[in-house]
Amino acid sequence: MNASNDIAIDVKGLTKSFGGREVVHDLSMQVKRGSIYGFLGPNGSGKTTTIRILCGLLTPDSGEGTCLGYDILRDAEKIKRQVGYMTQRFSLYQDLSVRENLEFVARIYGLADARGAARDMIKRLGLSGREEQLAGELSGGWKQRLALGACTLPSPKLLLLDEPTAGVDPKARRDFWNEIHALAADGLTVLVSTHYMDEAERCHEIAYIAYGHLLTHGTVEEVIAGSALTTYTVTGEDLNGLTAALTGKPGVDMVAPFGTSLHVSGRDVAALEASIAPWRDKSGLHWHKSAPSLEDVFIELMGRSKDNFQ
Amino acid sequence: MSTIDHPAPAHEIRERFGFWKRSYAMLVKEFIQLRRDRVSFAMIVMLPVMQLLLFGYAINTTPHNLPSAVLLQEDSDLARSVLKALENTAYYRFIYEVHDVDEFDNLLKSGKVLFGVEIPRGFERAVRRGDKPALLVAADATDPVAASAALGSLGMIVQTALAHDLYIGNPPEMPFEIRAHARYNPAANSSLNIVPGLVGTILTMTMLIFTALSVTREVERGTMESLLSMPIKPVEVMFGKIIPYVLVGFVQAFLIIGIGVFLFGVPVLGNLFLLALLSTLFITTNLSIGYTISTLVQNQLQAMQMSMMFFLPSILLSGFMFPFAGMPNWAQYVGECLPLTHYLRIVRAIMLKGASMPNLRFDAAALVILMLVAMTIAVTRFRRTLD
């Protein structure tokens, strides 16, 4: 342990290729202890690979760093004892009951009273009465809950959650996030990957990764401010026609419908305003300048990174 | 639904006996999964019983009542009594009586009969004169196993037929003499040899497949990712996956030997405890090999195929199907590398010959070596990461 006692994850220059294709490129990141760190990016951007490298499931081709103060290359076994990893696909035993799954995990981690620990966790998860139900027969929301319970059972210091709420209804998602915040309040560090913007906004810090490159990171406000994006929100008639007219104009980087309004964004304010000038005073259209949403920022980043890396 | 409103009571982690605890965790899990898998569970009992009954009753290497034809060129009393004697052995069943050589040949060629007996013209008179006439027995030897036993019985038959014939009396000199002496199995009852062999064959097949699928199943169901992220070592995974099936194998061995003893009357002349001990060793060796296969392949189909690749030579080169001593040298060397070869010697020796440990030292040691080699490969091949 050193001065970075309040840093849970500290990695530099991680690179990983599969069959000649670079999935993670020169990725560096730092995650503070007790924080919730959101990992965002399109499908296939390298989020899962990065998480697997952090918990020792994959060996990086190059790069170095520490996880909970342990070297990610040499101390994988020590890291495994203190990290709870929730996989993207449900990876508990479907043909084992809720209780049997939890007891299995408890025994593997060497808990002194495996049965007691499983019993307490079932109570905590609100799964009492379902303990003998097979894990495979649980609904999606309950499966996520059970999986989270299984990885928090051995009291880890770091949780790695890979798209934990994919395919879960909004109520279960909110409950899930309340739990994550409760766990972080107890001092647990959480790294969570997600596609949902509302979830990203519940993280203390976020990072955006695309095509293996970490494009931006910081708090939500920092990421939005750092994007230097100007967004105009338009409401009114014939927005479809307006979309067609504005797309591809100089300075207009993105035109995206949001319900009954349209978001028109660009990084070059002067060019953007010149391009939209002919429509500004058109009757039936209402323009106002607004802060870009996180989604605007990410979609713009994604569009830009596609040009750079593909 | 309540969210977490109270922190988890911290459960203490103890490092002592970690190896045993983690192996035990794996073992309990495997047992539960096996119990839940009803079809596999039923197969544990059904497979050995079905195979034993099929092999024991349907497959007989000393077949009886083989269809035969006779080319009768002389209708004498002696000819009739020779035929009667042949039929009395129960090997031959005469379904054709022909008087023409072409017809005789065609019956054999077409496979309508497996044997043809030709009684030449003037047979009886020649015998009375002491001319030692030839009695032709033509056999369809395309299936040597079927033919050999029946052919082997010929010498004695002709003797008895002649001896009991009133016209000859007791001839001072036998026309020819073949002395057969079938040790351990004087009745040439094939189930005596087959049942002990089947214990080994069935165990090889079931044990191999059970563990060959074990690791790939975890990979295909996606549970491997979670398992690898936990602090469990390859040796612990292996023990946890092998031990439950040692018990399964033991139940199977018990079933097969039980049926063999009570249904087919196979004796167990040697020590039952020694048999159980060495059977457990053989079961563990096969489970280790199966487990090794599962660390080498990528999916369950490959696991099945590779198990078959191992199972076929086991059947062909171990001495189960063909006599070991009759195989060419290279085949014998391959055979020595197969656990079934050694176990067949052990199980036959204990059950049929009453052998004890000093007789079986070499084969027991060979099983231990094969087991250790397989386990070493498995542990080194087991991937700790998803790379």
Side-chain angles (χ1 to χ4, degrees):
Chain A
M1 293 284 179
N2 46 30
S4 64
N5 225 338
D6 57 337
I7 301 292
I9 301 174
D10 187 4
V11 291
K12 281 184 208 70
L14 293 185
T15 299
K16 180 77 186 172
S17 304
F18 291 114
R21 207 173 63 86
E22 205 168 62
V23 179
V24 174
H25 174 82
D26 193 24
L27 187 137
S28 304
M29 62 191 282
Q30 280 200 339
V31 178
K32 289 193 202 80
R33 273 184 203 261
S35 70
I36 300 175
Y37 197 87
F39 220 32
L40 292 106
N43 291 326
S45 57
K47 300 192 298 284
T48 300
T49 306
T50 308
I51 290 177
R52 284 176 174 171
I53 291 173
L54 291 175
C55 64
L57 279 180
L58 288 175
T59 328
D61 298 335
S62 64
E64 52 167 25
T66 58
C67 194
L68 299 169
Y70 297 112
D71 190 294
I72 56 163
L73 297 174
R74 288 195 314 265
D75 298 325
E77 292 305 311
K78 285 180 187 149
I79 294 174
K80 282 179 185 176
R81 282 175 190 278
Q82 305 200 352
V83 169
Y85 171 41
M86 185 171 158
T87 53
Q88 195 168 349
R89 182 176 157 196
F90 183 70
S91 63
L92 293 176
Y93 295 97
Q94 312 246 9
D95 50 349
L96 255 57
S97 71
V98 170
R99 178 181 57 78
E100 289 157 350
N101 264 306
L102 291 172
E103 285 178 4
F104 173 69
V105 174
R107 285 194 189 107
I108 294 280
Y109 282 89
L111 298 192
D113 176 17
R115 282 163 194 260
R119 212 183 306 119
D120 289 345
M121 185 51 80
I122 287 166
K123 217 179 288 166
R124 209 173 112 109
L125 293 171
L127 275 163
S128 300
R130 290 173 191 258
E131 54 263 67
E132 297 307 325
Q133 204 172 330
L134 295 187
E137 291 169 1
L138 294 174
S139 69
W142 283 111
K143 273 186 188 165
Q144 306 303 86
R145 244 175 129 70
L146 174 61
L148 181 69
C151 43
T152 51
L153 190 61
S155 319
K157 296 202 174 104
L158 169 67
L159 272 187
L160 301 173
L161 311 174
D162 195 0
E163 292 184 24
T165 55
V168 173
D169 67 62
K171 171 80 169 73
R173 254 174 64 196
R174 177 160 297 182
D175 290 335
F176 195 88
W177 273 89
N178 287 342
E179 285 178 30
I180 290 176
H181 272 273
L183 290 165
D186 288 345
L188 204 66
T189 312
V190 182
L191 177 78
V192 52
S193 76
T194 179
H195 283 302
Y196 299 108
M197 292 305 134
D198 60 317
E199 292 187 351
E201 282 165 0
R202 299 190 67 162
C203 294
H204 299 131
E205 257 187 85
I206 53 175
Y208 188 82
I209 174 172
Y211 309 103
H213 296 248
L214 190 98
L215 298 179
T216 180
H217 66 98
T219 61
V220 173
E221 294 74 26
E222 282 166 3
V223 167
I224 290 177
S227 73
L229 205 64
T230 308
T231 298
Y232 279 91
T233 305
V234 198
T235 51
E237 294 153 12
D238 191 27
L239 293 177
N240 285 338
L242 185 63
T243 306
L246 285 177
T247 304
K249 283 273 186 312
V252 179
D253 293 327
M254 195 171 61
V255 184
F258 274 78
T260 57
S261 65
L262 197 67
H263 284 201
V264 183
S265 317
R267 272 176 299 148
D268 185 342
V269 188
L272 175 69
E273 287 182 345
S275 288
I276 62 174
W279 285 275
R280 282 298 287 272
D281 300 319
K282 210 176 169 204
S283 62
L285 286 178
H286 306 283
W287 294 78
H288 70 93
K289 200 171 178 178
S290 63
S293 69
L294 199 54
E295 187 162 324
D296 290 327
V297 173
F298 286 154
I299 289 174
E300 193 272 332
L301 272 174
M302 212 166 131
R304 196 153 30 115
S305 56
K306 195 182 267 172
D307 303 338
N308 289 348
F309 308 122
Q310 275 203 332
Chain B
M1 187 164 81
S2 70
T3 52
I4 292 173
D5 46 10
H6 48 92
H11 278 272
E12 189 191 349
I13 293 179
R14 289 203 193 126
E15 297 291 330
R16 277 180 68 204
F17 306 120
F19 173 82
W20 299 108
K21 274 195 226 157
R22 290 186 293 269
S23 300
Y24 174 73
M26 203 67 201
L27 183 154
V28 170
K29 185 218 92 178
E30 290 289 322
F31 251 128
I32 297 170
Q33 288 188 304
L34 178 63
R35 206 183 60 209
R36 296 268 152 78
D37 187 352
R38 291 278 158 83
V39 177
S40 290
F41 203 67
M43 289 291 277
I44 291 171
V45 175
M46 288 301 295
L47 204 77
V49 171
M50 201 186 74
Q51 292 221 5
L52 188 62
L53 294 181
L54 279 182
F55 273 90
Y57 282 125
I59 300 173
N60 195 334
T61 53
T62 54
H64 289 81
N65 293 321
L66 301 170
S68 311
V70 59
L71 174 60
L72 208 55
Q73 293 179 320
E74 170 193 283
D75 202 357
S76 63
D77 287 337
L78 183 60
R80 288 282 164 205
S81 61
V82 168
L83 288 183
K84 198 76 213 152
L86 286 173
E87 270 193 327
N88 282 344
T89 64
Y91 286 125
Y92 308 92
R93 184 165 47 94
F94 290 101
I95 51 173
Y96 292 102
E97 185 178 314
V98 295
H99 301 279
D100 175 71
V101 181
D102 286 341
E103 208 178 333
F104 180 77
D105 287 343
N106 278 336
L107 280 173
L108 270 171
K109 214 178 257 173
S110 63
K112 284 190 180 131
V113 296
L114 284 176
F115 294 98
V117 178
E118 181 192 345
I119 304 213
R121 195 161 287 132
F123 178 66
E124 186 176 335
R125 195 199 294 193
V127 172
R128 285 191 180 187
R129 279 207 220 111
D131 284 351
K132 294 191 184 175
L135 183 81
L136 173 72
V137 177
D140 175 358
T142 46
D143 183 353
V145 181
S148 66
L151 281 177
S153 68
L154 273 176
M156 304 232 266
I157 291 154
V158 176
Q159 278 182 2
T160 35
L162 294 176
H164 288 92
D165 196 283
L166 290 173
Y167 290 90
I168 304 296
N170 274 327
E173 193 194 341
M174 294 298 173
F176 44 88
E177 185 185 345
I178 299 167
R179 185 174 290 156
H181 186 188
R183 196 177 282 188
Y184 304 123
N185 191 2
N189 178 353
S190 60
S191 60
L192 274 193
N193 190 38
I194 282 221
V195 169
L198 268 184
V199 182
T201 313
I202 294 172
L203 285 177
T204 302
M205 186 156 101
T206 51
M207 295 299 103
L208 265 185
I209 287 176
F210 273 131
T211 41
L213 299 179
S214 65
V215 174
T216 45
R217 194 168 45 214
E218 299 253 4
V219 174
E220 287 187 5
R221 290 187 187 172
T223 52
M224 196 51 149
E225 197 178 348
S226 208
L227 191 63
L228 285 179
S229 72
M230 294 185 204
I232 187 165
K233 295 185 183 71
V235 185
E236 295 156 359
V237 175
M238 181 175 76
F239 281 176
K241 280 184 175 290
I242 284 181
I243 294 166
Y245 294 106
V246 173
L247 257 144
V248 168
F250 206 77
V251 170
Q252 288 194 330
F254 186 81
L255 260 174
I256 304 165
I257 294 174
I259 294 175
V261 169
F262 291 109
L263 217 56
F264 294 104
V266 181
V268 182
L269 299 178
N271 187 331
L272 205 57
F273 176 74
L274 182 66
L275 181 62
L277 188 79
L278 293 179
S279 298
T280 309
L281 173 63
F282 173 67
I283 288 165
T284 316
T285 306
N286 276 315
L287 289 171
S288 315
I289 292 171
Y291 186 75
T292 308
I293 289 176
S294 80
T295 59
L296 297 173
V297 296
Q298 256 122 47
N299 55 48
Q300 299 202 29
L301 181 67
Q302 286 181 9
M304 291 295 290
Q305 288 172 328
M306 208 184 255
S307 303
M308 282 298 134
M309 284 267 293
F310 185 81
F311 182 62
L312 272 181
S314 287
I315 281 205
L316 298 174
L317 302 181
S318 63
F320 173 69
M321 278 219 168
F322 311 112
F324 193 79
M327 299 192 307
N329 274 341
W330 66 264
Q332 292 198 13
Y333 289 133
V334 176
E336 294 286 353
C337 299
L338 301 167
L340 185 57
T341 307
H342 301 285
Y343 184 67
L344 284 183
R345 290 179 195 152
I346 290 172
V347 74
R348 282 175 178 157
I350 295 179
M351 287 179 78
L352 304 179
K353 303 182 202 169
S356 55
M357 194 57 197
N359 310 120
L360 306 170
R361 269 192 326 242
F362 168 73
D363 291 304
L367 286 181
V368 172
I369 292 169
L370 289 172
M371 177 181 78
L372 292 178
V373 169
M375 284 184 168
T376 312
I377 297 175
V379 170
T380 39
R381 277 287 312 184
F382 187 87
R383 292 170 309 150
R384 284 158 178 270
T385 62
L386 295 168
D387 285 295

